[in-house]
Amino acid sequence: MRSPKQDFSLSAATAGFVAVLVGFTSSVAIVFSAAQALGATPAQIGSWMWALGLGMGLCTLLPSLWLRQPVLVAWSTPGAAVLATAGVAGAGAGFGMPEATGAFIVCAALITLFGVTGWFEKLLGRIPMSIASALLAGVLARFGLDAFVALKSALGLVLLMLVTYLVGRRFWARYAVPGVLLAGIAYAAVAGELHLGGVQWGLTMPVFTAPEFTWRGVVSLALPLFVVTMASQNLPGVAAIRAAGYDMPISEIITLTGLATLVLAPFGAFALNLSAITASICMGREAHPDPDKRYMAAVSCGALYCVVGLFGAAVTGVLTAFPRELVLAIAGLALLGSIGGGLAVALKDETHREAALITFLVTLSGVSLAGIGSAFWGVVAGAIALVVQQWRPRASGSR
């Protein structure tokens, strides 16, 4: 068996860095808002970064090395949005960090239960590949659109990155994304758009919050957090794994994320789950032409997450120093292959094509109903369309 050192490559390391860059900068503000809405102190917010960074890092790094497959774990972005909304709405009623921590633990226990019993994986087994691929394409397509929308506010930067990508794909496909990232950073540095002056390095110290368990916290925080994490995060995450052609022990990984959340919840880890967006970056051809070596992209990503956890706000400050348009462009360009692959599989089977297209469009729309994101409703809409189109009344037998 080859050693990880032999499988290491620049393209994989770059894919891991891009995954961390995109994962943090696209949603760290929502996590900060959630912590502040629940009354977290600056020290507790730093502890959230410590717990989430180490949780994501270890749950990504260790399984990837063990399975030799790219396992990507992230925090629950829609879960953070639920907490931010509930925290603000419930501030007058007294939602605070102890009650929220109790809710995190209940959510983690439910995630662990669905992993240990295999209930989540059994449910996923009923979803056709075309619908799952359409779901993934819908989740990722938003990033592709945002990359080109960014041309409006940063024409020179995004145009340079686009040209670099096209030339790179033509002449050195394996290093196209690293080239795009370097070109974007160089342009931003010359234009004075990198804001690194305020970053202060230092280790982040964890802060323990004793949990408080209440029915109100379970109903208003834990259950919504659990539902959106499973429906809007783990569901697309499994779709990304399937689309990339990997055969992973899904139930065991879900169990791992639940247990990690359970252990780290008192320090601020509200919910860990499978990733779809960063997974697609690390599972694509841009990470490595050989699927058996793409796990090193996840290993690099996990190691960087651990560094983020240890240095907390300082590393977050570095990542958020990049111009927003640079992050949007690198994410969209890095995901082009995954978007195209997802659509190709989704539309391949003519009998499922319309249902898959409905899944794709509903997911892409970003519609949110009952606090649950469009990924879940896209699958529901596609499943309904599939049932309506393929249902046939059973012929009555003659007596």
Side-chain angles (χ1 to χ4, degrees):
M1 180 181 290
R2 300 183 311 273
S3 68
K5 185 176 180 180
Q6 291 174 307
D7 290 340
F8 179 83
S9 65
L10 175 62
S11 59
T14 303
F17 176 77
V18 170
V20 173
L21 176 65
V22 172
F24 260 83
T25 56
S26 64
S27 58
V28 70
I30 300 175
V31 176
F32 283 164
S33 297
Q36 291 169 347
L38 294 169
T41 64
Q44 287 175 322
I45 293 176
S47 182
W48 278 42
M49 291 296 103
W50 178 88
L52 291 168
L54 287 182
M56 293 187 298
L58 294 176
C59 288
T60 296
L61 175 65
L62 299 179
S64 296
L65 285 173
W66 178 261
L67 298 173
R68 296 299 175 97
Q69 297 186 80
V71 178
L72 275 297
V73 171
W75 64 45
S76 175
T77 300
V82 166
L83 294 174
T85 304
V88 171
F95 276 126
M97 284 296 295
E99 199 168 5
T101 301
F104 301 166
I105 292 174
V106 173
C107 175
L110 289 172
I111 293 173
T112 305
L113 175 65
F114 272 66
V116 170
T117 59
W119 290 344
F120 182 66
E121 192 168 5
K122 290 175 184 176
L123 179 63
L124 289 175
R126 298 179 177 273
I127 300 175
M129 186 64 187
S130 57
I131 300 297
S133 297
L135 164 68
L136 177 65
V139 169
L140 302 182
R142 173 58 57 187
F143 287 83
L145 290 172
D146 287 345
F148 293 96
V149 171
L151 285 165
K152 295 180 180 179
S153 54
L155 179 63
L157 171 63
V158 179
L159 202 57
L160 172 65
M161 295 175 73
L162 177 59
V163 170
T164 303
Y165 176 81
L166 294 175
V167 173
R169 291 292 296 168
R170 174 66 177 83
F171 294 104
W172 59 91
R174 184 173 172 181
Y175 301 105
V177 173
V180 171
L181 181 61
L182 289 175
I185 292 174
Y187 183 99
V190 171
E193 296 177 1
L194 290 178
H195 308 291
L196 298 170
V199 178
Q200 296 181 349
W201 290 93
L203 287 172
T204 300
M205 298 302 296
V207 176
F208 179 85
T209 299
E212 179 182 331
F213 300 96
T214 65
W215 281 111
R216 183 187 59 170
V218 171
V219 173
S220 300
L221 295 178
L223 291 181
L225 179 60
F226 168 72
V227 171
V228 299
T229 297
M230 300 302 283
S232 301
Q233 293 284 124
N234 280 324
L235 188 58
V238 174
I241 293 170
R242 285 185 180 180
Y246 290 103
D247 183 18
M248 297 185 190
I250 300 299
S251 293
E252 286 81 353
I253 297 173
I254 294 293
T255 301
L256 176 64
T257 62
L259 291 174
T261 304
L262 199 61
V263 171
L264 294 169
F267 304 99
F270 53 90
L272 300 174
N273 48 249
L274 290 171
S275 169
I277 298 162
T278 55
S280 297
I281 293 173
C282 292
M283 292 179 182
R285 288 187 57 83
E286 289 78 9
H288 200 283
D290 185 353
D292 291 336
K293 295 183 179 181
R294 292 173 191 167
Y295 76 95
M296 284 306 299
V299 170
S300 300
C301 178
L304 288 172
Y305 274 145
C306 289
V307 173
V308 169
L310 292 174
F311 291 94
V315 178
T316 302
V318 172
L319 295 175
T320 54
F322 290 96
R324 177 175 177 271
E325 291 83 1
L326 185 153
V327 176
L328 293 175
I330 192 66
L333 294 174
L335 290 169
L336 283 180
S338 297
I339 296 169
L343 284 174
V345 174
L347 303 178
K348 182 178 180 180
D349 187 346
E350 189 172 348
T351 61
H352 291 177
R353 186 171 297 165
E354 200 164 81
L357 189 57
I358 290 172
T359 300
F360 170 75
L361 293 174
V362 172
T363 304
L364 179 59
S365 72
V367 63
S368 178
L369 301 173
I372 302 175
S374 61
F376 174 77
W377 297 115
V379 173
V380 170
I384 292 174
L386 204 58
V387 169
V388 171
Q389 289 178 337
Q390 297 192 351
W391 180 78
R392 295 288 185 274
R394 186 175 297 178
S396 59
S398 57
R399 291 182 179 269

